[in-house]
Structure formats: structure tokens, C-alpha cells
Amino acid sequence: MKQTVATAFFFLFVLGVKAQTQSTSPDTVSIFFDELKTASKKNIGLWNKDLYGPMILIDPKTRELFANEPDLEGILKGNGTTYSGILPAAVNIANTAVNWGGKRWAMAMLPLSENKENRINLLAHESFHSIQPSLGFTLNNAENNHLDQKKGRIYLRLELEALKQAIRSNSEKEMKQHLTSAFTFRKYRNTLYKGSETTENLLELNEGIAEFTGLIVSGRNKEQARSSLLNGIDGFMKNPTFVRSFAYYTTPVYGYLLYQKDPDWNKKIDAKTNLTSYFSKALDIRIQADLQKEVKKRSDHYNGQSIIKEETEREEQTKRLIAEYKLKFIQQPHFEIKFEKMNVSFDPRNIMPVEDLGTVYPNIRITDLWGILTIENGALMSPNWDKISISNPVKTENRKVSGDGWTLELKDGYTITKDEGSGNYKLSKN
């Protein structure tokens, strides 16, 4: 099975979108492209490579797109300095990098933020993803399901609270004290969940480094950068889940603080670098051997009691929700669809791991050889991403099948069959 994952980070999409009045005219889009082009040239030394390359800005409602250069298959039409067209339904829309029309593009969803620095941040982030392979960084979207468990969430929140204090610090000594706490909480968290240091590192090397790139290229001054980091963490804390989005708020802080000492640090890492070890050494942080003792001593300085209370309450609510998901997608009759050549986009803020049975994605769009599946009311993705389970179908019109919160547009050659014994449905190839 071949699969492509396009993670739609909608929290960047909505950043500053309230009261948006921007049009999506070619002239307006041209300004956005020029902003990124100028910022990329100014920061070409960040990676010794120009970030500015093929880019698509797209309206997710109409699928109308604007590009800064022509495609290689003659699909787009020129309009001054921009090119426009309609993105085919088979291509998922997300803030991501995508191969289409003979090129690899950075893609971002319209409308963009009215704040110039936020716009450039997003576009530079996605531009990094488009050149990421050429820099030797592997594209990874590792799941960190332990960050949906009580202790995983507690020690991530404590780490982030410590990072907030490090950002606010007025002296090197004060900053190092808070960074020591942050690394202590992180190290202790990793001792609680086997393999978590590896999976966290994979996502931080992917999304974390991309977001650090966006932060630097955005051109914010020191006060603006600190404010952006602090506001980002506060907003992140409100997300229903942390498993796929935490890296946006950890790596940029460590990276930004190190950047003040060594503007070239990012060029000294590669796809195999352990960022926790790298940052702690580069920032000269020494961690005590007795992590549990240190955690108890430090947690109260970062709202530890309140965080533990909130996460204990959340754990009870989560148990009830998981029981409902197991009933809906496993125990009672359901519709199972296996993947052949899958491409998927989703919102990572509200996904929920269901023990070792997979992960529920409330909103997800999947394209495959069998057609297009759009889900707005939850689906269970298998642990190894080879199939997805949804509620049973309730309506069929020609090649369009629908159920509770989902629609499947089937291609010719595929049919849906029901197992009368179990009541389950499955997708079959004729």
C-alpha cells in the first residue's frame, strides 16, 4: 500500500482569520507571493537555500487555486504574474507540500491572516516542507498517542509552562533555570512511555523544524517573536488533543532561544539528530539524575496542582468517549474500508487514540483508487494505517454512498457488500 499524509494544521489556517475581508484576486495573491519571496531572500542563510519555490494558495470551499508559477502539464492559466485553475477533487487540500501538475508545491489555504508576519510564517513553514527532502530531512508524521494519556499530557503541559517562563526571562541565569525544568519534565515523560523519545523526536524534526523556519523567516522582532511563541502555547493548550501538534510549540521555543546564541545551529543537525540531547547540550543544561525527585520539586512552580486536577477530570471524560467509539466502530456493525493507494488530509487538533485499536479522526478526507471518502463525524483509523472503519451506510444514490456524517464517492469497479452474519459492510473490487 502506498500512502500520502497531508496534515491540515487548521490552527495556523484560522490564525488571524477573524474579520477577514481579504479578496482572493490575483493582485492580492501576488502581494502574498512577493512578501514570501522577499523574506526568503533576506533569510537565505538560514538553510543556505532559497525557500521560495513553487507555491499554491487555494480556497478550500471552491478549490480555486493561485500559483506563483506555471505547472508542467499545462493545467493552469496565466494571469499577470500569477497562474490560476481548479484543483482536481482527487487532490486533498491542506497546509502542506504536494506533488501535482509535474511539480512539488507548497500549499496553503486561503484566506491568509491579515497579519503580515503570520502570513509569512505559514508560507515559510510550508515552503520548508517542499524543500525538506533536499535538505536531507525525512518527512514524518509520527503519532504520539502517549500525549493523550494523563501523565503524558501533564508533563507536556509542565514542560510548556516552563518554556513560557524561559521566554519571559530577563537574564541568562533565569532562562537556564526554566529550561532545566522544561528538560526535566520532558526527560521524565520519556521514561514513563517506552519509545516516546523517538516518536516525539520524529515529529519535532518534521513539523518543529518547519515551524522554527517559519518563525525566523517571518521577520518578527524580539518582542513580536516572544509574543507569538507565548500566544501560540496558550492557544495550543486549548486543543482537545496534543498527539500530532505539540511539535509546533516545543521545537520553535528551544530553537529560537538557541538561535540567539548560535544562528547556525539548525545547519548542524540532520534527520538522525536527537533534538532533546542536542538542545540541552547546546543550551548548556544539566539535568539531575533523580528525575522523579526533581519533577516533584519543580512542578508547583508551573501550576502543577491545577494541571494534575484538570487532567484527572479529563481522563474520566476520555474513558467514556473511548467506550462510545469502541461501540460505534468495533463492537456494533460497521463499515470497513481497506486502502490501496491512499492520500489523506485531516485536522490534527482533535484526534483521539482508542487504546491500541487505532485513532479516531473526527474530520478526515481520503482519496484512493476506489474514490473519495469525506468524514465529518468520526472514523477509526487502524494502527498501521491500512484501513478505516466508519458507521454503516444508510443511503445510496448511483455511485454516491452516505452514512452518519460521511460520504463516499465510489469509482466504477467497486461495490459495497454486507456480511449478513456480522452485519458489517466492506468495500469490494469487482
Side-chain angles (χ1 to χ4, degrees), residues 116-308:
K116 179 180 178 180
E117 288 76 22
N118 289 348
R119 287 197 299 270
I120 295 173
N121 196 138
L122 171 60
L123 298 184
H125 176 116
E126 303 309 338
S127 294
F128 174 83
H129 282 316
S130 68
I131 68 166
Q132 190 171 343
S134 69
L135 292 172
F137 290 97
T138 307
L139 294 165
N140 275 299
N141 277 284
E143 290 189 348
N144 287 271
N145 290 350
H146 64 285
L147 295 181
D148 204 57
Q149 297 184 31
K150 178 182 173 180
K151 290 186 177 181
R153 288 178 57 91
I154 287 172
Y155 293 109
L156 175 62
R157 290 182 62 181
L158 285 169
E159 177 187 356
L160 288 168
E161 290 295 337
L163 288 180
K164 285 168 62 177
Q165 295 305 318
I167 295 167
R168 295 190 180 107
S169 297
N170 294 315
S171 69
E172 179 79 10
K173 181 180 179 181
E174 183 184 358
M175 182 186 74
K176 287 184 68 172
Q177 289 175 345
H178 293 303
L179 284 176
T180 300
S181 294
F183 280 112
T184 298
F185 296 135
R186 169 177 284 234
K187 286 280 191 179
Y188 184 63
R189 179 177 71 245
N190 291 151
T191 66
L192 298 177
Y193 301 99
K194 185 179 180 180
S196 62
E197 183 174 10
T198 298
T199 56
E200 287 182 17
N201 192 59
L202 287 172
L203 195 60
E204 290 187 312
L205 282 168
N206 190 40
E207 297 298 348
I209 297 298
E211 184 61 8
F212 164 76
T213 299
L215 176 69
I216 300 303
V217 175
S218 72
R220 296 181 179 95
N221 60 35
K222 187 168 291 188
E223 183 178 342
Q224 290 172 325
R226 289 180 174 181
S227 178
S228 176
L229 291 169
L230 291 170
N231 290 337
I233 292 173
D234 287 339
F236 167 73
M237 294 292 196
K238 300 174 185 177
N239 288 350
T241 186
F242 301 155
V243 299
R244 277 188 174 269
S245 50
F246 77 95
Y248 268 67
Y249 306 98
T250 51
T251 313
V253 176
Y254 293 117
Y256 177 76
L257 295 177
L258 181 55
Y259 185 78
Q260 309 308 306
K261 297 175 58 177
D262 180 7
D264 293 319
W265 74 260
N266 56 294
K267 288 177 284 193
K268 302 172 185 176
I269 65 172
D270 57 34
K272 296 181 179 179
T273 300
N274 181 310
L275 288 176
T276 299
S277 298
Y278 182 87
F279 283 136
S280 58
K281 183 177 180 180
L283 290 164
D284 192 26
I285 304 300
R286 293 175 175 81
I287 308 299
Q288 296 296 317
D290 193 339
L291 289 173
Q292 188 170 18
K293 179 181 178 181
E294 284 297 303
V295 162
K296 288 181 179 180
K297 184 172 73 173
R298 294 172 181 271
S299 62
D300 284 347
H301 297 290
Y302 304 99
N303 304 319
Q305 292 185 19
S306 296
I307 289 173
I308 291 171

Side-chain angles (χ1 to χ4, degrees), residues 351-367:
I351 63 179
M352 175 162 291
V354 180
E355 298 170 353
D356 59 350
L357 303 171
T359 302
V360 169
Y361 289 75
N363 308 97
I364 189 168
R365 186 178 191 269
I366 300 167
T367 62

